[in-house]
Short mmCIF file of all heavy atoms in Angstrom, two decimals:
data_model
loop_
_atom_site.label_atom_id
_atom_site.label_comp_id
_atom_site.label_asym_id
_atom_site.label_seq_id
_atom_site.Cartn_x
_atom_site.Cartn_y
_atom_site.Cartn_z
N ARG A 236 87.73 67.24 62.91
CA ARG A 236 87.18 68.23 61.99
C ARG A 236 86.59 69.37 62.83
O ARG A 236 86.11 69.14 63.95
CB ARG A 236 86.07 67.62 61.12
CG ARG A 236 86.56 66.60 60.10
CD ARG A 236 87.37 67.27 58.99
NE ARG A 236 87.74 66.34 57.95
CZ ARG A 236 88.83 65.58 57.97
NH1 ARG A 236 89.62 65.63 59.02
NH2 ARG A 236 89.12 64.79 56.97
N PRO A 237 86.58 70.60 62.32
CA PRO A 237 85.96 71.70 63.06
C PRO A 237 84.52 71.42 63.46
O PRO A 237 84.08 71.82 64.54
CB PRO A 237 86.07 72.88 62.08
CG PRO A 237 87.30 72.58 61.29
CD PRO A 237 87.27 71.08 61.09
N ARG A 238 83.77 70.72 62.60
CA ARG A 238 82.37 70.43 62.94
C ARG A 238 82.28 69.56 64.19
O ARG A 238 81.45 69.80 65.08
CB ARG A 238 81.69 69.71 61.76
CG ARG A 238 80.25 69.31 62.05
CD ARG A 238 79.65 68.57 60.86
NE ARG A 238 80.39 67.38 60.52
CZ ARG A 238 80.29 66.22 61.17
NH1 ARG A 238 79.46 66.10 62.20
NH2 ARG A 238 80.99 65.17 60.79
N LEU A 239 83.14 68.55 64.27
CA LEU A 239 83.14 67.68 65.44
C LEU A 239 83.63 68.43 66.67
O LEU A 239 83.15 68.19 67.79
CB LEU A 239 84.02 66.45 65.19
CG LEU A 239 83.57 65.55 64.03
CD1 LEU A 239 84.58 64.42 63.82
CD2 LEU A 239 82.19 64.97 64.31
N PHE A 240 84.61 69.31 66.46
CA PHE A 240 85.10 70.11 67.58
C PHE A 240 84.00 71.03 68.11
O PHE A 240 83.88 71.23 69.32
CB PHE A 240 86.31 70.92 67.13
CG PHE A 240 86.93 71.77 68.20
CD1 PHE A 240 87.41 71.20 69.37
CD2 PHE A 240 87.02 73.14 68.05
CE1 PHE A 240 87.99 71.98 70.36
CE2 PHE A 240 87.59 73.93 69.04
CZ PHE A 240 88.08 73.35 70.19
N HIS A 241 83.19 71.58 67.22
CA HIS A 241 82.07 72.42 67.64
C HIS A 241 81.10 71.62 68.51
O HIS A 241 80.63 72.10 69.54
CB HIS A 241 81.34 72.98 66.41
CG HIS A 241 80.10 73.75 66.76
ND1 HIS A 241 78.84 73.18 66.71
CD2 HIS A 241 79.93 75.03 67.18
CE1 HIS A 241 77.95 74.08 67.08
NE2 HIS A 241 78.58 75.21 67.36
N GLU A 242 80.79 70.39 68.10
CA GLU A 242 79.90 69.55 68.90
C GLU A 242 80.50 69.30 70.28
O GLU A 242 79.78 69.30 71.29
CB GLU A 242 79.67 68.22 68.18
CG GLU A 242 78.89 68.35 66.87
CD GLU A 242 78.74 67.02 66.17
OE1 GLU A 242 79.13 65.98 66.77
OE2 GLU A 242 78.24 66.99 65.03
N MET A 243 81.82 69.08 70.34
CA MET A 243 82.48 68.86 71.63
C MET A 243 82.38 70.10 72.51
O MET A 243 82.12 70.01 73.72
CB MET A 243 83.94 68.47 71.41
CG MET A 243 84.72 68.25 72.70
SD MET A 243 86.48 67.94 72.41
CE MET A 243 86.39 66.29 71.72
N CYS A 244 82.56 71.28 71.90
CA CYS A 244 82.49 72.52 72.67
C CYS A 244 81.08 72.73 73.24
O CYS A 244 80.93 73.14 74.40
CB CYS A 244 82.87 73.71 71.78
SG CYS A 244 84.62 73.79 71.35
N VAL A 245 80.08 72.45 72.44
CA VAL A 245 78.70 72.61 72.90
C VAL A 245 78.42 71.67 74.07
O VAL A 245 77.84 72.07 75.10
CB VAL A 245 77.71 72.36 71.75
CG1 VAL A 245 76.28 72.31 72.27
CG2 VAL A 245 77.85 73.44 70.68
N LYS A 246 78.83 70.42 73.95
CA LYS A 246 78.60 69.45 75.02
C LYS A 246 79.42 69.79 76.27
O LYS A 246 79.00 69.49 77.39
CB LYS A 246 78.95 68.05 74.52
CG LYS A 246 78.02 67.54 73.44
CD LYS A 246 78.45 66.17 72.92
CE LYS A 246 77.52 65.69 71.81
NZ LYS A 246 77.96 64.38 71.27
N ALA A 247 80.61 70.41 76.07
CA ALA A 247 81.47 70.73 77.21
C ALA A 247 80.80 71.71 78.16
O ALA A 247 81.10 71.72 79.37
CB ALA A 247 82.80 71.30 76.71
N LYS A 248 79.89 72.53 77.64
CA LYS A 248 79.25 73.53 78.50
C LYS A 248 78.42 72.90 79.62
O LYS A 248 78.17 73.52 80.64
CB LYS A 248 78.38 74.46 77.65
CG LYS A 248 79.20 75.36 76.73
CD LYS A 248 78.36 76.47 76.12
CE LYS A 248 77.38 75.96 75.09
NZ LYS A 248 76.67 77.09 74.41
N ARG A 249 78.02 71.64 79.42
CA ARG A 249 77.25 70.95 80.46
C ARG A 249 78.07 70.74 81.73
O ARG A 249 77.51 70.55 82.80
CB ARG A 249 76.78 69.59 79.95
CG ARG A 249 76.00 69.61 78.65
CD ARG A 249 75.75 68.19 78.18
NE ARG A 249 75.15 68.13 76.85
CZ ARG A 249 74.99 66.99 76.18
NH1 ARG A 249 75.34 65.84 76.73
NH2 ARG A 249 74.45 67.01 74.97
N TYR A 250 79.39 70.73 81.59
CA TYR A 250 80.25 70.33 82.70
C TYR A 250 81.01 71.50 83.32
O TYR A 250 81.89 71.30 84.14
CB TYR A 250 81.25 69.28 82.21
CG TYR A 250 80.58 68.09 81.57
CD1 TYR A 250 80.47 68.01 80.18
CD2 TYR A 250 80.04 67.07 82.35
CE1 TYR A 250 79.84 66.92 79.58
CE2 TYR A 250 79.41 65.98 81.76
CZ TYR A 250 79.31 65.92 80.37
OH TYR A 250 78.68 64.84 79.79
N VAL A 251 80.66 72.73 82.92
CA VAL A 251 81.36 73.89 83.45
C VAL A 251 80.90 74.19 84.87
O VAL A 251 79.70 74.23 85.15
CB VAL A 251 81.13 75.12 82.54
CG1 VAL A 251 81.78 76.35 83.16
CG2 VAL A 251 81.72 74.86 81.16
N ASP A 252 81.85 74.41 85.74
CA ASP A 252 81.53 74.85 87.10
C ASP A 252 80.92 76.25 87.01
O ASP A 252 81.57 77.18 86.53
CB ASP A 252 82.82 74.89 87.93
CG ASP A 252 82.57 75.23 89.40
OD1 ASP A 252 81.56 75.90 89.70
OD2 ASP A 252 83.41 74.86 90.23
N PRO A 253 79.69 76.45 87.46
CA PRO A 253 79.05 77.77 87.33
C PRO A 253 79.79 78.87 88.08
O PRO A 253 79.67 80.04 87.72
CB PRO A 253 77.64 77.53 87.89
CG PRO A 253 77.76 76.32 88.75
CD PRO A 253 78.80 75.47 88.10
N LYS A 254 80.55 78.50 89.10
CA LYS A 254 81.34 79.51 89.82
C LYS A 254 82.60 79.88 89.04
O LYS A 254 83.08 81.01 89.11
CB LYS A 254 81.71 78.99 91.20
CG LYS A 254 80.52 78.76 92.12
CD LYS A 254 80.98 78.26 93.49
CE LYS A 254 79.79 78.03 94.41
NZ LYS A 254 80.23 77.53 95.74
N LEU A 255 83.13 78.92 88.32
CA LEU A 255 84.37 79.17 87.56
C LEU A 255 84.08 79.80 86.21
O LEU A 255 84.77 80.72 85.77
CB LEU A 255 85.13 77.85 87.38
CG LEU A 255 86.49 77.94 86.70
CD1 LEU A 255 87.45 78.74 87.56
CD2 LEU A 255 87.06 76.54 86.47
N ARG A 256 83.05 79.28 85.53
CA ARG A 256 82.67 79.77 84.20
C ARG A 256 83.88 79.83 83.25
O ARG A 256 84.17 80.85 82.63
CB ARG A 256 82.02 81.16 84.31
CG ARG A 256 80.68 81.15 85.02
CD ARG A 256 80.08 82.53 85.14
NE ARG A 256 79.97 83.20 83.84
CZ ARG A 256 78.98 82.96 82.97
NH1 ARG A 256 78.04 82.08 83.26
NH2 ARG A 256 78.94 83.61 81.82
N MET A 257 84.57 78.71 83.14
CA MET A 257 85.78 78.70 82.31
C MET A 257 85.96 77.32 81.66
O MET A 257 85.71 76.29 82.29
CB MET A 257 87.02 79.02 83.16
CG MET A 257 88.33 79.02 82.36
SD MET A 257 89.78 79.36 83.41
CE MET A 257 89.42 81.05 83.90
N ILE A 258 86.39 77.33 80.40
CA ILE A 258 86.77 76.12 79.69
C ILE A 258 88.15 76.36 79.10
O ILE A 258 88.42 77.42 78.51
CB ILE A 258 85.77 75.78 78.56
CG1 ILE A 258 84.44 75.33 79.17
CG2 ILE A 258 86.32 74.70 77.65
CD1 ILE A 258 83.38 75.03 78.14
N LEU A 259 89.03 75.38 79.26
CA LEU A 259 90.40 75.50 78.73
C LEU A 259 90.50 74.69 77.44
O LEU A 259 90.18 73.50 77.41
CB LEU A 259 91.41 74.97 79.76
CG LEU A 259 92.87 74.95 79.31
CD1 LEU A 259 93.38 76.36 79.08
CD2 LEU A 259 93.73 74.24 80.35
N ALA A 260 90.92 75.36 76.37
CA ALA A 260 91.12 74.68 75.09
C ALA A 260 92.60 74.32 74.97
O ALA A 260 93.47 75.18 75.06
CB ALA A 260 90.70 75.58 73.92
N GLU A 261 92.88 73.07 74.72
CA GLU A 261 94.26 72.57 74.61
C GLU A 261 94.47 72.04 73.19
O GLU A 261 93.85 71.05 72.82
CB GLU A 261 94.50 71.50 75.67
CG GLU A 261 95.62 70.52 75.43
CD GLU A 261 96.98 71.17 75.38
OE1 GLU A 261 97.13 72.27 75.88
OE2 GLU A 261 97.89 70.56 74.79
N CYS A 262 95.28 72.63 72.37
CA CYS A 262 96.03 73.84 72.66
C CYS A 262 96.20 74.63 71.37
O CYS A 262 95.68 74.24 70.34
CB CYS A 262 97.37 73.54 73.30
SG CYS A 262 98.31 72.38 72.33
N TRP A 263 96.94 75.73 71.40
CA TRP A 263 96.99 76.66 70.27
C TRP A 263 97.71 76.07 69.06
O TRP A 263 97.19 76.10 67.95
CB TRP A 263 97.66 77.96 70.71
CG TRP A 263 97.81 78.97 69.62
CD1 TRP A 263 98.96 79.34 68.99
CD2 TRP A 263 96.76 79.74 68.99
NE1 TRP A 263 98.71 80.29 68.03
CE2 TRP A 263 97.36 80.56 68.01
CE3 TRP A 263 95.38 79.82 69.18
CZ2 TRP A 263 96.64 81.43 67.22
CZ3 TRP A 263 94.66 80.69 68.38
CH2 TRP A 263 95.29 81.49 67.42
N ASN A 264 98.92 75.53 69.24
CA ASN A 264 99.68 75.14 68.05
C ASN A 264 100.55 73.90 68.26
O ASN A 264 101.69 73.85 67.81
CB ASN A 264 100.57 76.29 67.58
CG ASN A 264 101.58 76.71 68.63
OD1 ASN A 264 101.55 76.23 69.76
ND2 ASN A 264 102.48 77.60 68.26
#
């Protein structure tokens, strides 16, 4: 569900490399 996906996105920020500053969403369609 989009709500659960939002929670995953928020939690994913904890693991971002500060030098990279990038998250890859898999996938479009």
Side-chain angles (χ1 to χ4, degrees):
R236 291 290 186 273
R238 177 182 59 80
L239 298 176
F240 181 59
H241 175 263
E242 294 178 6
M243 178 185 288
C244 289
V245 171
K246 293 177 181 178
K248 291 192 289 186
R249 305 173 188 172
Y250 305 98
V251 175
D252 184 334
K254 296 181 180 179
L255 184 64
R256 293 178 55 81
M257 180 182 295
I258 290 178
L259 176 66
E261 158 63 20
C262 53
W263 178 252
N264 61 353

